[in-house]
Amino acid sequence: MMRLMLSRNAGTGTTVSTTMRNTTDELETKSTRAWTRRLIPVAIVLAALNLRPAITSFGSLLEEVRDALGMSGSVAGLLTSMPPLCFAVFGVMAPRLSRRFGPGTVVCAGMVAIAAGLLIRPFAGNTAAFLAASALALMGIAVSNVLMPVIVKRWFPDRIGPMTGLYSMAVALGTAAAAAVTVPLTGALGGSWQSGLAAWASLAAVAGMAWLPLVRDHGAAPGVRPVPEDERPGADGGADEGADDGGSAPVAGSARAGGAAPRSGSGRADGAALGNRAGRADGAALGNRAARAGGSARAGEAVRVRGSGRAVQGGPGRPGRRGGVPGQRGRGGAPPHPRPEPGGVSPHPWPDGGRLRMTRSRTAWALALFFGLQATGAYITMGWMAQIFRDAGVPASTAGLLLAVTMVMGVPLSFVIPRLATRLPHQGPIVVALGLCGLAGYAGLHFAPAAGAWAWALLIGVANCSFPLALTMVGMRARTGAGVAQLSAFAQSTGYLISIPGPLLVGVLYQHSDGWGLPLALMSALLIPQMAVGVLAGRNRTIEDEAAAV
């Protein structure tokens, strides 16, 4: 009897100790999470400010760099084609690097690469070294480009529109600032174009320091608390594959494949499904054969199941699901690829067990083509627009300001367009409106480049706001954080590959036609298919649905 009482007292003590430790861990986790959520918007803005100055600062001083390094028009076209080339080559590496090191670490390293490249390239001394240093900076931009939508989806799943708008607005602001300030900054630094280009490395260094506290953010995310070893269920199952891109953190409003059991193991795993804020949802099936999960958890929490390495989470107003049907206890009998309910989460968004086959999704292809065509116009504008105005007789400083006006249009519109896009069931009308503005701007550049310069700069600036719209549609066309990461990598990498020939072809046409008629005709013609595929990408569909339907 005494032995039994001592055993019970020991068990009670262990339980109290475990409870106190868990309470302390939860308080520390909540405090860290609150501090991180305040820091992340600042870090996102600082990173976004650095995603275009490497390109537009060069465009403002293109003539000076060409004269100093002895570049022809074709080589200059190659330089203006480097951004999409590097984004395509290095951007595809971002999801894998994010899984390995965490998104915060990868973005921080990207800022360091940008700073190093911008500091080295003005003093390279020859064209080859200039290209290599530019590629280093563009590599940092590429991985950050891909991971920004992932970070927004991960930390702000219920504020994708506003946060994407903030990020896009910062990108536009950095682009415009580099275009407007580089020429006067060069004059203030003694007239050396090397100093004017190198000065932008300091902004990237500041952004890198802002991301340093997030380097350790490898797997933690809002609402996730890793379950201690002694609290984990007794299921001795093998680890499932296919962790989330972007640090394997769950995103509110998303769930993993329903009914998917660990590949090995004979025990049963107790789990908890997340419910609405106001209500509770019954548990869902987890386990190798038919694990039962009773109970509920409030939205904003997550439970990790031993052997799977994944968390189940339900977003605000969305019942968490894992197999089975909400409200049904016991064994989950979900079909292999059930269709998601409107406004809910897909119970089986991973038809192949971890990786979505993007090449089988029409929406993914439409979004990639739209991204590529809008990127073509954007990089032609950033690389050549100032030169168009200078050839029309506009002074260099004014040409830089006109390019800045084009870029700065993205500051207010990058905040308005994503919010508007998330409220519309179809984003096609926005795509068409932006394309028509671009057609009007290019026509004006052809017929009266100097007389109506400010009007054409404004119209082309509006047209270039297809970029924040494309980013917003990336977040809207996937249901899960991992889906957003895969779609973002596919759309951006494929899109940037498509956009590579554009700036180079403009340089060749400019050199051989000795004018801007043919280049402007090409830029106008590209807007027609851009509007067509943008309308297709704007349909209210998700890549998980299309992959499951194949």
Side-chain angles (χ1 to χ4, degrees), residues 42-119:
V42 177
I44 287 175
V45 169
L46 287 174
L49 287 172
N50 285 278
L51 297 184
R52 295 299 179 269
I55 304 165
T56 51
S57 61
F58 168 72
S60 299
L61 296 173
L62 177 60
E63 187 171 319
E64 288 76 7
V65 176
R66 285 181 59 189
D67 292 341
L69 299 180
M71 292 183 188
S72 65
S74 299
V75 174
L78 176 62
L79 268 172
T80 56
S81 293
M82 278 194 65
L85 174 62
C86 291
F87 294 167
V89 172
F90 298 118
V92 74
M93 300 163 50
R96 180 173 297 181
L97 292 172
S98 178
R99 287 195 301 269
R100 176 67 179 85
F101 301 104
T105 304
V106 177
V107 174
C108 183
M111 296 298 108
V112 173
I114 295 171
L118 292 180
L119 187 61

Side-chain angles (χ1 to χ4, degrees), residues 4-50:
L4 179 60
M5 291 177 65
L6 289 173
S7 176
R8 289 180 176 177
N9 289 337
T12 303
T14 302
T15 303
V16 172
S17 175
T18 302
T19 303
M20 293 179 64
R21 184 177 70 247
N22 291 343
T23 302
T24 304
D25 291 344
E26 288 177 1
L27 291 174
E28 291 177 356
T29 301
K30 288 180 180 179
S31 176
T32 302
R33 190 164 61 244
W35 179 82
T36 304
R37 284 181 66 88
R38 288 192 294 268
L39 173 64
I40 280 183
V42 177
I44 287 175
V45 169
L46 287 174
L49 287 172
N50 285 278

Side-chain angles (χ1 to χ4, degrees), residues 509-533:
L509 291 175
Y510 170 60
Q511 181 177 355
H512 291 283
S513 66
D514 197 24
W516 288 105
L518 287 178
L520 288 171
L522 172 66
M523 294 157 70
S524 299
L526 290 175
L527 285 173
I528 305 302
Q530 176 180 321
M531 288 188 282
V533 295

Side-chain angles (χ1 to χ4, degrees), residues 487-508:
L487 179 58
S488 179
F490 176 78
Q492 294 199 41
S493 297
T494 306
Y496 285 129
L497 278 174
I498 294 169
S499 68
I500 290 171
L504 177 59
L505 185 56
V506 166
V508 173

Side-chain angles (χ1 to χ4, degrees), residues 16 68-69 85 217 361 380 400 417 434 513 518 536 543:
V16 172
L69 299 180
L85 174 62
D217 177 36
S361 170
I380 290 174
I417 288 176
L434 297 178
S513 66
L518 287 178
L536 294 177
I543 55 172

Side-chain angles (χ1 to χ4, degrees), residues 151-384:
I151 291 170
V152 168
K153 179 85 171 182
R154 178 183 176 189
W155 286 94
F156 305 97
D158 55 341
R159 298 170 58 196
I160 292 177
M163 289 305 300
T164 301
L166 179 65
Y167 153 67
S168 302
M169 185 171 63
V171 172
L173 185 61
T175 307
V181 174
T182 299
V183 173
L185 181 62
T186 300
L189 295 175
S192 170
W193 64 268
Q194 289 95 337
S195 300
L197 291 182
W200 294 101
S202 58
L203 182 62
V206 172
M209 289 187 288
W211 281 90
L212 278 176
L214 302 172
V215 165
R216 297 177 60 188
D217 177 36
H218 181 66
V224 177
R225 179 182 66 84
V227 179
E229 187 72 27
D230 55 358
E231 292 183 31
R232 295 178 181 176
D236 194 16
D240 200 3
E241 295 179 355
D244 273 352
D245 295 333
S248 71
V251 177
S254 66
R256 282 285 184 185
R263 296 182 178 178
S264 62
S266 57
R268 292 184 176 180
D270 292 327
L274 300 178
N276 294 333
R277 290 178 178 177
R280 294 183 180 261
D282 293 316
L286 286 175
N288 197 20
R289 297 181 180 176
R292 296 177 181 273
S296 60
R298 293 182 179 179
E301 298 177 351
V303 176
R304 291 194 179 275
V305 181
R306 184 182 183 184
S308 69
R310 293 180 179 178
V312 182
Q313 184 170 4
R318 298 179 178 180
R321 301 174 67 168
R322 182 80 151 167
V325 179
Q328 174 182 346
R329 294 182 182 272
R331 301 176 185 270
H337 303 299
R339 304 294 292 178
E341 298 176 1
V345 295
S346 173
H348 198 296
W350 304 103
D352 62 350
R355 297 287 299 178
L356 289 170
R357 297 181 180 179
M358 293 294 168
T359 55
R360 296 189 177 184
S361 170
R362 294 181 180 179
T363 298
W365 274 112
L367 194 51
L369 291 171
F370 176 70
F371 201 99
L373 291 170
Q374 68 82 27
T376 300
Y379 289 111
I380 290 174
T381 299
M382 285 186 276
W384 290 106

